[in-house]
DNA sequence: GGCATGAGGCTAATGCTATTAGCCGAGCTG
DNA sequence: CAGCTCGGCTAATAGCATTAGCCTCATGCC
């Protein structure tokens, strides 16, 4: 991955976060980079490829974030651990809401992802749970609940004045023990 | 709403479900209707308007579905009721996955919705819970969890072989009582 | 019966999107 | 110095939403 490529990827990421996922286009990226649209094809074979690089980087950053929290906040209390993980999940998603949307809303072509990036995010998320099949179900239900809470919040689906932290509290309590 | 309008709306809905949300465009709709694209503007003022009509109809159909289940399956057991609601939620979303995506993934312009449609879906979903603030949090957490489970399933994010029904079971058990 | 009106088509055109082909200059490397 | 590669460029295509303006047919009204 050349330096110029990384430059353009970061430009694209800032474009997405600052102007919304809907503004993500090669035309807008080229404009921000002060080059013509077709020149972008010297660095990426297609929009899909660039998109999946950004998604992969999102997965990896997500994994790093969660792993950091898990390492520094490991407590004896099950509820504390779940709460810390939940808080980290929400904080990360709300810090990068448009890229979170990109990561979760688009049909995923796994052949275009940076190998292992999706798994890294999953592992970071699920490592807290044991390896029994029953715990796998529990892990996936918890993941889904966190994703649902975050995704409804990002897309503004909770009524104004809704106590979102309260809903997170219910979720944490329901999944502790 | 003229008969021709309804005809075109239903054509658009079948287009979305049969060819995926990504295939939803005025060009494709016009092709299926055997007319030219600009003629669609005799019936809808913009793509956004048509999109929000379809979203509204999705909300209303969702509400009808859930209300029906709640009326016919009311049981004394809290867990049975939650399970019936959860099953209905999942069944509905999986029966109309692409329109469910349209309903939940797009930025919502509430001024363009059929008035009351979003609320109808919310009410159907939340009427099972009491009116106390604490129960509101519980209702929203449950809603988010169901949405998360369905949205991850539709977008193929669970690993192959994952026991999705098992995850739903964990969710139902966690939210019963 | 004739006439106006509206519904619902149409074509042409604009400016956006991704994408491909092909050209050109600058800089490094043999 | 020759040549290659990197990274720009223009021109062009096809599809996208959208607007303006034209035409035709059916309906209702005088």
């Amino acid at each position: 991955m050349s330096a110029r490529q990384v430059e353009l990827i970061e430009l694209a990421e800032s474009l997405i976060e600052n102007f919304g996922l809907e503004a993500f286009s090669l035309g807008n990226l080229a404009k921000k980079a002060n080059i013509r649209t077709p020149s972008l094809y010297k660095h990426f074979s297609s929009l899909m490829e660039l998109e999946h690089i950004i998604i992969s980087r999102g997965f990896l950053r997500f994994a790093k974030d969660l792993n950091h929290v898990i390492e520094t906040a490991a407590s004896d209390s099950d509820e504390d651990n779940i709460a810390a993980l939940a808080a980290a999940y929400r904080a990360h998603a709300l810090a990068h809401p448009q890229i979170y949307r990109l990561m979760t809303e688009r049909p995923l072509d796994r052949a275009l992802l940076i190998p292992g990036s999706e798994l890294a995010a999953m592992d970071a998320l699920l490592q807290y749970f044991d390896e029994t099949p029953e715990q796998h179900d529990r892990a996936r239900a918890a993941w889904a609940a966190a994703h649902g809470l975050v995704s409804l919040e990002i897309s503004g689906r909770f009524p104004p004045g809704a106590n979102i932290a309260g809903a997170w509290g219910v979720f944490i309590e329901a999944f502790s023990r």
Side-chain angles (χ1 to χ4, degrees), chain A residues 42-150:
Chain A
K42 297 292 172 169
H43 307 281
F44 311 101
S45 72
S46 69
L47 175 68
M48 275 282 279
E49 187 192 64
L50 171 57
E51 184 180 306
H52 278 71
I53 290 173
I54 296 172
I55 292 173
S56 300
R57 286 165 55 99
F59 283 153
L60 293 172
R61 185 172 46 182
F62 197 20
K64 207 169 77 181
D65 244 43
L66 291 183
N67 281 324
H68 178 257
V69 167
I70 289 166
E71 280 161 26
T72 62
S75 151
D76 285 351
S77 151
D78 192 278
E79 177 152 355
D80 286 357
N81 284 326
I82 297 252
L85 204 56
Y89 195 111
R90 185 180 179 202
H92 183 97
L94 296 187
H96 316 283
Q98 299 299 319
I99 289 185
Y100 185 88
R101 288 184 59 208
L102 182 66
M103 289 161 58
T104 56
E105 287 181 3
R106 303 284 175 109
L108 214 57
D109 183 345
R110 292 186 163 82
L112 294 180
L113 291 178
I114 296 174
S117 56
E118 187 188 13
L119 205 63
M122 299 262 302
D123 282 353
L125 202 54
L126 305 186
Q127 70 179 340
Y128 172 74
F129 297 84
D130 296 337
E131 284 298 315
T132 68
E134 188 199 80
Q135 284 296 80
H136 273 167
D137 296 345
R138 214 160 82 82
R140 287 192 198 107
W143 169 31
H147 167 62
L149 281 161
V150 140

